[in-house]
Amino acid sequence: QTQDGGCGDTARQILADTPSPRRGSKSDQAHPPIHPIKYASHLQGDEKKVYEFIVRHFLACCSKDAQGMETNVDVNVREEQFSASGLVITERNYLEVYPYDRWSDKDIPRFTQGDTVVIERVELAEGETTPPPLLKEADLIA
């Protein structure tokens, strides 16, 4: 996969880092995963999309975990206090090759104490809370 224009850099980096398989404690006894062993430059259309998904999933499984930290930000705007919390991704790692996964719905930039923030717009959103979904039988057993 090192020849690929989209995933080649990641494949070369994984090979340089000498990956070692994880020793997971769980097995679902399913068939072994699909391992893309050849670079397939001849594929077209849907076949190419499916193969690219398989390759990216495989490379993501071999990549290092993404790293991040939760953060809280407090901002004063004209004597009004606003706060936000979210995730700051410090090392994207597997997320670089696997764009199908979002690590958080609340990505926020990195701030340090005393930073000046430029407010581009302020929105007021209305909404209401909803109760959690009913438990399923599997949830009760687990």
Side-chain angles (χ1 to χ4, degrees):
Q1 305 309 319
T2 56
Q3 303 96 327
D4 188 84
C7 304
D9 290 340
T10 302
R12 285 188 290 278
Q13 183 64 45
I14 291 169
L15 289 172
D17 289 344
T18 320
S20 60
R22 298 175 190 218
R23 299 276 183 227
S25 61
K26 298 180 181 176
S27 174
D28 64 1
Q29 303 300 321
H31 63 81
I34 299 170
H35 294 88
I37 56 174
K38 290 185 179 180
Y39 177 58
S41 60
H42 64 282
L43 299 176
Q44 300 288 324
D46 288 342
E47 289 177 341
K48 182 177 181 178
K49 289 177 186 177
V50 169
Y51 191 76
E52 180 182 352
F53 178 79
I54 292 168
V55 168
R56 287 182 177 274
H57 188 274
F58 176 78
L59 292 174
C61 290
C62 296
S63 297
K64 293 179 182 176
D65 292 341
Q67 301 291 317
M69 59 185 168
E70 287 192 39
T71 187
N72 296 314
V73 177
D74 296 315
V75 179
N76 291 314
V77 178
R78 295 191 178 171
E79 300 181 19
E80 291 290 333
Q81 179 86 16
F82 295 91
S83 64
S85 62
L87 181 71
V88 177
I89 298 174
T90 56
E91 295 180 42
R92 293 188 53 79
N93 296 328
Y94 88 91
L95 295 170
E96 292 289 343
V97 72
Y98 199 70
Y100 316 105
D101 194 9
R102 285 189 46 95
W103 212 30
S104 172
D105 291 335
K106 294 165 112 183
D107 293 339
I108 61 174
R110 186 179 294 202
F111 294 102
T112 56
Q113 186 90 20
D115 279 353
T116 301
V117 178
V118 177
I119 307 297
E120 294 179 0
R121 70 180 188 273
V122 177
E123 296 177 8
L124 180 61
E126 289 187 39
E128 57 186 55
T129 62
T130 58
L134 296 174
L135 293 175
K136 298 178 183 139
E137 185 175 342
D139 297 327
L140 295 171
I141 295 172

